[in-house]
Amino acid sequence: MRVYAVVAAGGFRRYATYRIATAAGVFTNTVFGFIMAYTYVALWDERPQLGGYDMSQALTYVWLGQALLMTCAMMGGGFEDELVERIRNGDIAVDLYRPIDLQLWWLAGDLGRAAFHLLGRGIVPMVLGSLAFDLAMPGSAGVWAAFLVAVALGVVVSFAIRYLVALSAFWLMDGAGATQMSFLAGMFFSGLMLPLNLFPGLLGEVARALPWSALLQVPADVFLGKHTGWGLVRVYGFQAGWALALLFAGRLLQSVATRRVVVQGG
């Protein structure tokens, strides 16, 4: 496990190197946060308690979305472009013969990336949002800890989705289409545009059952105190269940791809 800890630390340092890009990302998240916040203010002025949120909770949801946008890679970003390129040019054959687990290697690096983005691009927009608006911040350390656990599980679910998308390049030879579809699904079904609680009827039920809801909707509701006690255990189980199912699917797809590489190499 030590090698994966080193990879995770390397992933953190890799993204920490790009200070100007981080500053630009913080600026962009903050600007879009203000745009979304004032849009929500207008909407909640007309429909108070929409989706079960009061104005303060709705605004908190906005800024949580900006804080977790890159942390949980709701719109993609991270390792998948590099992995697709290694598959396309054949370098993946070298990776598959290395004495490490390919999935855990990329997962470790992505955890380091997520940790940096949470600290580097998540905190500042949230602080600025709290200075400009009355946000519903948790009053207990337990809620903060529960939120961080939900974020960590969301990151793993996000990785598992993007890993499957990247592995599709073994058969498509160009991951652009699959990546774009995943990007659109993540943006819509994570709740980034609007909380999934606002989606009507069957659409709302389906959206909340899909894995993308683990990226933002679940952590945001934990932060807002919507899940406590056994309800908290249930949403953790939801996130962990999707994480395990998607990681297992990725491992199966990786195994099939490995056999294909071995056959072609032979």
Side-chain angles (χ1 to χ4, degrees), residues 208-244:
R208 288 188 292 273
L210 292 174
W212 290 281
S213 66
L215 277 57
L216 173 59
Q217 185 68 57
V218 171
D221 281 342
V222 171
F223 187 91
L224 294 171
K226 299 291 185 180
H227 301 298
T228 58
W230 284 110
L232 187 60
V233 174
R234 182 180 63 81
V235 295
Y236 283 166
F238 170 80
Q239 290 181 296
W242 269 118
L244 291 173

Coordinates of all heavy atoms in Angstrom, one line a residue, residues 208-244:
R208 N -31.9 10.6 -8.7 CA -31.4 10.4 -7.4 C -30.8 9.0 -7.2 O -30.0 8.8 -6.3 CB -32.4 10.7 -6.3 CG -32.7 12.2 -6.2 CD -33.6 12.5 -5.0 NE -35.0 12.0 -5.2 CZ -36.0 12.7 -5.8 NH1 -35.7 13.9 -6.3 NH2 -37.2 12.1 -6.0
A209 N -31.3 8.1 -8.1 CA -30.8 6.7 -8.0 C -29.5 6.4 -8.8 O -28.9 5.4 -8.6 CB -31.9 5.7 -8.4
L210 N -29.2 7.4 -9.7 CA -28.0 7.2 -10.5 C -26.7 7.5 -9.7 O -26.8 8.3 -8.8 CB -28.1 8.1 -11.8 CG -29.2 7.7 -12.8 CD1 -29.3 8.7 -13.9 CD2 -28.9 6.3 -13.4
P211 N -25.6 7.0 -10.2 CA -24.4 7.2 -9.4 C -23.9 8.6 -9.3 O -23.2 9.0 -8.3 CB -23.3 6.3 -10.1 CG -23.9 6.1 -11.5 CD -25.4 6.1 -11.3
W212 N -24.2 9.4 -10.3 CA -23.8 10.8 -10.3 C -24.3 11.6 -9.1 O -23.7 12.6 -8.7 CB -24.1 11.5 -11.6 CG -23.4 11.0 -12.8 CD1 -22.1 11.3 -13.1 CD2 -23.8 10.1 -13.7 NE1 -21.7 10.7 -14.3 CE2 -22.8 9.9 -14.7 CE3 -25.0 9.4 -13.9 CZ2 -22.9 9.0 -15.7 CZ3 -25.1 8.5 -15.0 CH2 -24.1 8.3 -15.9
S213 N -25.4 11.2 -8.5 CA -26.0 11.9 -7.4 C -25.1 11.8 -6.2 O -25.1 12.7 -5.2 CB -27.4 11.4 -7.0 OG -27.3 10.1 -6.6
A214 N -24.2 10.8 -6.2 CA -23.2 10.7 -5.1 C -22.1 11.7 -5.1 O -21.4 11.9 -4.1 CB -22.6 9.3 -5.1
L215 N -22.0 12.4 -6.2 CA -20.9 13.4 -6.4 C -21.2 14.7 -5.7 O -20.3 15.4 -5.1 CB -20.6 13.7 -7.8 CG -19.7 12.6 -8.6 CD1 -20.2 11.2 -8.5 CD2 -19.5 13.1 -10.0
L216 N -22.5 15.2 -5.7 CA -22.8 16.5 -5.1 C -24.0 16.4 -4.3 O -24.0 16.9 -3.1 CB -23.0 17.6 -6.2 CG -23.5 18.9 -5.8 CD1 -22.6 19.5 -4.7 CD2 -23.7 19.9 -6.9
Q217 N -25.1 15.9 -4.8 CA -26.4 15.9 -4.1 C -26.3 15.3 -2.7 O -26.7 15.9 -1.7 CB -27.5 15.2 -4.9 CG -28.9 15.3 -4.3 CD -29.4 16.7 -4.3 OE1 -29.5 17.3 -5.4 NE2 -29.8 17.2 -3.2
V218 N -25.7 14.1 -2.6 CA -25.5 13.4 -1.3 C -24.6 14.2 -0.4 O -25.0 14.5 0.8 CB -25.1 12.0 -1.5 CG1 -24.7 11.4 -0.2 CG2 -26.1 11.2 -2.2
P219 N -23.4 14.6 -0.8 CA -22.6 15.4 0.1 C -23.2 16.7 0.6 O -23.1 17.1 1.7 CB -21.3 15.6 -0.7 CG -21.2 14.5 -1.7 CD -22.6 14.2 -2.0
A220 N -23.9 17.4 -0.4 CA -24.5 18.6 0.0 C -25.6 18.4 1.0 O -25.7 19.2 2.0 CB -25.1 19.3 -1.3
D221 N -26.4 17.4 0.9 CA -27.5 17.1 1.8 C -26.9 16.7 3.2 O -27.5 17.0 4.2 CB -28.4 16.1 1.3 CG -29.4 16.6 0.3 OD1 -29.6 17.8 0.3 OD2 -30.0 15.8 -0.5
V222 N -25.8 16.0 3.2 CA -25.1 15.7 4.5 C -24.7 17.0 5.1 O -24.8 17.2 6.3 CB -24.0 14.7 4.2 CG1 -23.1 14.6 5.5 CG2 -24.5 13.4 3.8
F223 N -24.1 17.9 4.4 CA -23.6 19.1 4.9 C -24.7 20.0 5.5 O -24.6 20.6 6.5 CB -22.9 19.9 3.7 CG -22.2 21.2 4.1 CD1 -20.9 21.2 4.5 CD2 -22.9 22.4 4.2 CE1 -20.2 22.3 4.9 CE2 -22.2 23.6 4.5 CZ -20.9 23.5 4.9
L224 N -25.9 19.9 4.8 CA -27.0 20.7 5.3 C -27.8 20.0 6.4 O -28.9 20.5 6.8 CB -27.9 21.0 4.0 CG -27.3 21.9 3.0 CD1 -28.2 21.9 1.7 CD2 -27.1 23.3 3.5
G225 N -27.4 18.9 6.8 CA -28.0 18.2 7.9 C -29.3 17.4 7.5 O -30.1 17.1 8.4
K226 N -29.5 17.1 6.2 CA -30.6 16.4 5.8 C -30.6 14.9 6.1 O -31.6 14.3 6.1 CB -30.8 16.6 4.2 CG -31.0 18.0 3.8 CD -32.3 18.6 4.2 CE -32.5 20.0 3.6 NZ -33.8 20.6 4.0
H227 N -29.4 14.4 6.3 CA -29.2 13.0 6.6 C -28.5 12.9 8.0 O -27.4 13.3 8.1 CB -28.4 12.3 5.6 CG -29.0 12.4 4.2 ND1 -30.2 11.8 3.9 CD2 -28.5 12.9 3.0 CE1 -30.5 12.0 2.6 NE2 -29.5 12.7 2.1
T228 N -29.2 12.3 8.9 CA -28.6 12.0 10.2 C -28.9 10.6 10.7 O -29.9 9.9 10.1 CB -29.1 13.0 11.3 OG1 -30.6 12.9 11.3 CG2 -28.7 14.4 10.9
G229 N -28.2 10.1 11.6 CA -28.5 8.7 12.2 C -28.5 7.7 11.1 O -27.5 7.6 10.3
W230 N -29.5 6.8 11.1 CA -29.6 5.8 10.1 C -29.8 6.3 8.7 O -29.4 5.6 7.7 CB -30.8 4.8 10.4 CG -30.5 3.9 11.6 CD1 -31.0 4.0 12.8 CD2 -29.6 2.8 11.6 NE1 -30.5 3.0 13.6 CE2 -29.6 2.3 12.9 CE3 -28.7 2.3 10.6 CZ2 -28.8 1.2 13.2 CZ3 -27.9 1.2 11.0 CH2 -28.0 0.7 12.3
G231 N -30.3 7.5 8.5 CA -30.4 8.1 7.2 C -29.0 8.4 6.6 O -28.7 8.2 5.4
L232 N -28.1 8.7 7.5 CA -26.7 8.9 7.1 C -26.0 7.6 6.7 O -25.3 7.5 5.7 CB -25.9 9.6 8.2 CG -24.5 10.0 7.9 CD1 -24.5 11.1 6.8 CD2 -23.8 10.6 9.2
V233 N -26.3 6.6 7.4 CA -25.8 5.2 7.1 C -26.3 4.8 5.7 O -25.6 4.2 4.9 CB -26.2 4.2 8.2 CG1 -25.8 2.8 7.8 CG2 -25.5 4.6 9.5
R234 N -27.6 5.1 5.5 CA -28.2 4.7 4.2 C -27.6 5.4 3.0 O -27.3 4.7 2.0 CB -29.7 5.0 4.3 CG -30.5 4.6 3.0 CD -31.9 5.0 3.1 NE -32.1 6.4 3.2 CZ -32.1 7.3 2.2 NH1 -31.9 6.8 1.0 NH2 -32.3 8.5 2.4
V235 N -27.3 6.7 3.1 CA -26.7 7.4 2.0 C -25.2 7.0 1.8 O -24.7 6.9 0.7 CB -26.8 8.9 2.1 CG1 -28.3 9.3 2.0 CG2 -26.2 9.5 3.3
Y236 N -24.6 6.7 2.9 CA -23.2 6.1 2.8 C -23.2 4.8 2.1 O -22.4 4.5 1.2 CB -22.6 5.9 4.2 CG -22.0 7.2 4.8 CD1 -21.7 7.2 6.2 CD2 -21.9 8.4 4.1 CE1 -21.2 8.3 6.8 CE2 -21.4 9.5 4.7 CZ -21.0 9.5 6.1 OH -20.6 10.6 6.7
G237 N -24.2 4.0 2.4 CA -24.4 2.7 1.8 C -24.7 2.9 0.3 O -24.2 2.1 -0.6
F238 N -25.5 3.9 -0.1 CA -25.8 4.2 -1.5 C -24.5 4.5 -2.2 O -24.2 4.0 -3.3 CB -26.8 5.3 -1.5 CG -27.0 5.9 -2.9 CD1 -27.8 5.2 -3.8 CD2 -26.3 7.1 -3.3 CE1 -28.0 5.8 -5.1 CE2 -26.5 7.6 -4.6 CZ -27.3 6.9 -5.5
Q239 N -23.7 5.4 -1.6 CA -22.4 5.8 -2.3 C -21.5 4.6 -2.4 O -20.8 4.4 -3.4 CB -21.8 7.0 -1.5 CG -22.5 8.3 -1.6 CD -21.8 9.4 -0.8 OE1 -21.6 9.3 0.4 NE2 -21.2 10.4 -1.5
A240 N -21.3 3.9 -1.3 CA -20.3 2.8 -1.2 C -20.8 1.7 -2.2 O -19.9 1.1 -2.8 CB -20.2 2.3 0.2
G241 N -22.1 1.5 -2.3 CA -22.6 0.4 -3.2 C -22.3 0.8 -4.6 O -21.8 -0.1 -5.4
W242 N -22.5 2.0 -5.0 CA -22.2 2.4 -6.4 C -20.7 2.3 -6.6 O -20.2 1.9 -7.7 CB -22.7 3.8 -6.7 CG -24.1 3.8 -7.3 CD1 -25.2 4.4 -6.8 CD2 -24.5 3.2 -8.5 NE1 -26.3 4.2 -7.6 CE2 -25.9 3.5 -8.7 CE3 -23.8 2.5 -9.5 CZ2 -26.6 3.1 -9.8 CZ3 -24.5 2.1 -10.6 CH2 -25.9 2.4 -10.8
A243 N -19.9 2.8 -5.6 CA -18.4 2.7 -5.8 C -17.9 1.3 -6.0 O -17.2 1.0 -6.9 CB -17.8 3.3 -4.5
L244 N -18.4 0.4 -5.2 CA -18.0 -1.0 -5.3 C -18.4 -1.6 -6.6 O -17.7 -2.3 -7.3 CB -18.5 -1.9 -4.1 CG -17.9 -1.5 -2.8 CD1 -18.6 -2.3 -1.7 CD2 -16.4 -1.9 -2.8

